Amino acid sequence: MKKQCFFCSQNLKEIDYKESELLKRFISGQAKIIDPRYTGVCTKHQRKLAQAIKRARILGLLPFIRR
C-alpha cells in the first residue's frame, strides 16, 4: 500500500523554510534529505521540500551535516 503524502493530507499549500521543526521530520540523522520512497511525499511536494531544506541550511536554521 502506498503512503499518503503528508503535505497533501494536511492540505498544506506552501512549505515554509522557517518551520525547522517540520523540516527536521524529513532529514535523516546524518542531516541528509530522506528519500520520498520512505517518507511517502509526492513528487510535487518533494521538490518544494528539498528547496525549503536547502534554504533553511543556507540561513543556518538546519545543519548541513551532523557531528
Side-chain angles (χ1 to χ4, degrees):
M1 188 175 129
K2 192 167 186 200
K3 291 182 184 176
Q4 177 72 23
C5 174
F6 173 78
F7 300 102
C8 291
S9 65
Q10 297 293 321
N11 204 15
L12 295 173
K13 299 284 184 231
E14 292 296 318
I15 302 173
D16 193 10
Y17 65 89
K18 291 173 275 200
E19 296 180 35
S20 59
E21 290 302 315
L22 175 68
L23 297 177
K24 283 180 185 176
R25 295 182 55 187
F26 301 97
I27 292 180
S28 71
Q30 297 173 331
K32 293 181 179 180
I33 300 172
I34 300 176
D35 196 295
R37 285 178 281 181
Y38 297 110
T39 58
V41 178
C42 68
T43 309
K44 176 177 122 179
H45 287 115
Q46 181 68 22
R47 284 194 295 267
K48 290 183 179 182
L49 178 67
Q51 190 67 42
I53 290 172
K54 290 172 186 177
R55 282 185 181 158
R57 284 176 174 166
I58 290 171
L59 291 173
L61 302 174
L62 290 175
F64 280 97
I65 56 170
R66 293 258 195 253
R67 289 191 177 186

